[in-house]
Protein backbone atom coordinates (compact mmCIF):
# COMPACT_ATOMS: atom_id res chain seq x y z
CA UNK A 1 0.00 0.00 0.00
CA UNK A 2 2.77 2.47 0.77
CA UNK A 3 4.33 2.19 -2.68
CA UNK A 4 0.94 2.68 -4.31
CA UNK A 5 -0.05 5.65 -2.17
CA UNK A 6 3.34 7.31 -2.64
CA UNK A 7 3.69 6.57 -6.33
CA UNK A 8 0.28 7.93 -7.27
CA UNK A 9 -0.26 10.42 -4.43
CA UNK A 10 -3.38 8.56 -3.32
CA UNK A 11 -4.74 8.86 0.19
CA UNK A 12 -5.48 5.20 0.93
CA UNK A 13 -7.98 4.47 3.69
CA UNK A 14 -9.25 1.15 5.02
CA UNK A 15 -12.66 0.00 6.20
CA UNK A 16 -13.54 -3.34 7.65
CA UNK A 17 -17.08 -4.40 6.98
CA UNK A 18 -18.94 -6.53 9.53
CA UNK A 19 -18.74 -10.30 9.12
CA UNK A 20 -16.08 -10.01 6.41
CA UNK A 21 -18.60 -8.98 3.77
CA UNK A 22 -17.52 -7.27 0.58
CA UNK A 23 -19.14 -3.90 -0.28
CA UNK A 24 -21.64 -5.36 -2.77
CA UNK A 25 -22.78 -8.05 -0.36
CA UNK A 26 -23.02 -5.51 2.47
CA UNK A 27 -25.12 -3.10 0.40
CA UNK A 28 -27.53 -5.88 -0.55
CA UNK A 29 -28.55 -6.14 3.11
CA UNK A 30 -27.95 -2.64 4.51
CA UNK A 31 -29.10 0.83 3.48
CA UNK A 32 -26.58 2.98 1.60
CA UNK A 33 -26.56 5.50 4.45
CA UNK A 34 -25.06 2.86 6.76
CA UNK A 35 -22.31 2.19 4.25
CA UNK A 36 -21.64 5.94 3.96
CA UNK A 37 -21.22 6.10 7.74
CA UNK A 38 -18.70 3.28 7.62
CA UNK A 39 -16.79 5.04 4.83
CA UNK A 40 -16.65 8.24 6.87
CA UNK A 41 -14.94 6.26 9.66
CA UNK A 42 -12.31 4.75 7.35
CA UNK A 43 -8.84 4.71 8.87
CA UNK A 44 -5.61 5.65 7.14
CA UNK A 45 -3.80 2.64 5.71
CA UNK A 46 -0.81 3.17 8.04
CA UNK A 47 -3.08 2.97 11.10
CA UNK A 48 -4.62 -0.25 9.83
CA UNK A 49 -1.15 -1.70 9.20
CA UNK A 50 0.17 -0.61 12.62
CA UNK A 51 -2.86 -2.04 14.41
CA UNK A 52 -2.56 -5.27 12.43
CA UNK A 53 1.13 -5.50 13.31
CA UNK A 54 0.18 -5.58 16.99
CA UNK A 55 -3.01 -7.62 16.76
CA UNK A 56 -3.18 -10.91 18.59
CA UNK A 57 -0.03 -10.32 20.60
CA UNK A 58 -0.02 -10.33 24.40
CA UNK A 59 1.24 -6.85 25.20
CA UNK A 60 1.41 -7.70 28.90
CA UNK A 61 4.47 -9.89 28.32
CA UNK A 62 7.99 -8.93 27.30
CA UNK A 63 7.89 -11.41 24.40
CA UNK A 64 4.59 -10.02 23.13
CA UNK A 65 5.76 -6.41 23.39
CA UNK A 66 9.07 -7.23 21.68
CA UNK A 67 7.29 -8.97 18.81
CA UNK A 68 4.82 -6.09 18.52
CA UNK A 69 7.68 -3.58 18.56
CA UNK A 70 9.50 -5.43 15.77
CA UNK A 71 6.29 -5.65 13.70
CA UNK A 72 5.45 -2.02 14.36
CA UNK A 73 8.90 -0.76 13.45
CA UNK A 74 8.64 -2.57 10.11
CA UNK A 75 5.53 -0.51 9.35
CA UNK A 76 6.70 2.78 10.85
CA UNK A 77 9.95 2.62 8.89
CA UNK A 78 7.89 3.03 5.70
CA UNK A 79 6.35 6.30 6.92
CA UNK A 80 7.76 9.78 6.78
CA UNK A 81 9.37 11.10 9.99
CA UNK A 82 6.62 13.66 10.61
CA UNK A 83 3.94 10.96 10.53
CA UNK A 84 6.03 8.74 12.83
CA UNK A 85 6.35 11.55 15.37
CA UNK A 86 2.62 12.29 15.17
CA UNK A 87 1.50 8.70 15.75
CA UNK A 88 4.45 7.36 17.70
CA UNK A 89 3.20 8.36 21.13
CA UNK A 90 -0.01 6.37 20.70
CA UNK A 91 1.85 3.19 19.82
CA UNK A 92 4.56 3.75 22.42
CA UNK A 93 1.80 3.98 25.04
CA UNK A 94 0.28 0.72 23.81
CA UNK A 95 3.68 -0.94 24.17
CA UNK A 96 4.22 0.66 27.58
CA UNK A 97 7.47 2.28 26.47
CA UNK A 98 8.62 5.87 26.07
CA UNK A 99 8.33 7.58 22.70
CA UNK A 100 12.08 8.15 22.72
CA UNK A 101 12.63 4.40 23.08
CA UNK A 102 10.38 3.71 20.11
CA UNK A 103 12.12 6.35 18.01
CA UNK A 104 15.57 5.10 19.02
CA UNK A 105 14.64 1.55 18.06
CA UNK A 106 13.24 2.78 14.77
Amino acid sequence: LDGLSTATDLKVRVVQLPNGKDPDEYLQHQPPETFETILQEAMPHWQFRCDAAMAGLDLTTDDGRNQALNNLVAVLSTLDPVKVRNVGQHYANRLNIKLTELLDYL
Side-chain angles (χ1 to χ4, degrees), residues 69-90:
L69 179 60
N70 287 327
N71 295 351
L72 184 61
V73 164
V75 176
L76 292 176
S77 67
T78 67
L79 303 178
D80 66 80
V82 172
K83 178 71 67 191
V84 171
R85 282 225 173 256
N86 288 340
V87 303
Q89 187 64 59
H90 170 75

Side-chain angles (χ1 to χ4, degrees), residues 8-76:
T8 60
D9 199 30
L10 295 175
K11 303 234 183 295
V12 178
R13 300 181 62 81
V14 178
V15 296
Q16 291 182 287
L17 297 175
N19 302 320
K21 297 191 182 298
D22 67 40
D24 179 59
E25 186 179 20
Y26 183 82
L27 285 168
Q28 289 177 18
H29 302 285
Q30 299 296 325
E33 297 80 22
T34 305
F35 188 66
E36 282 294 325
T37 300
I38 290 173
L39 290 178
Q40 294 298 320
E41 297 171 357
M43 68 179 75
H45 71 91
W46 57 262
Q47 180 183 355
F48 175 80
R49 292 177 58 225
C50 287
D51 290 348
M54 299 174 70
L57 297 172
D58 184 355
L59 301 181
T60 64
T61 67
D62 288 342
D63 287 342
R65 281 194 307 275
N66 283 331
Q67 183 62 53
L69 179 60
N70 287 327
N71 295 351
L72 184 61
V73 164
V75 176
L76 292 176

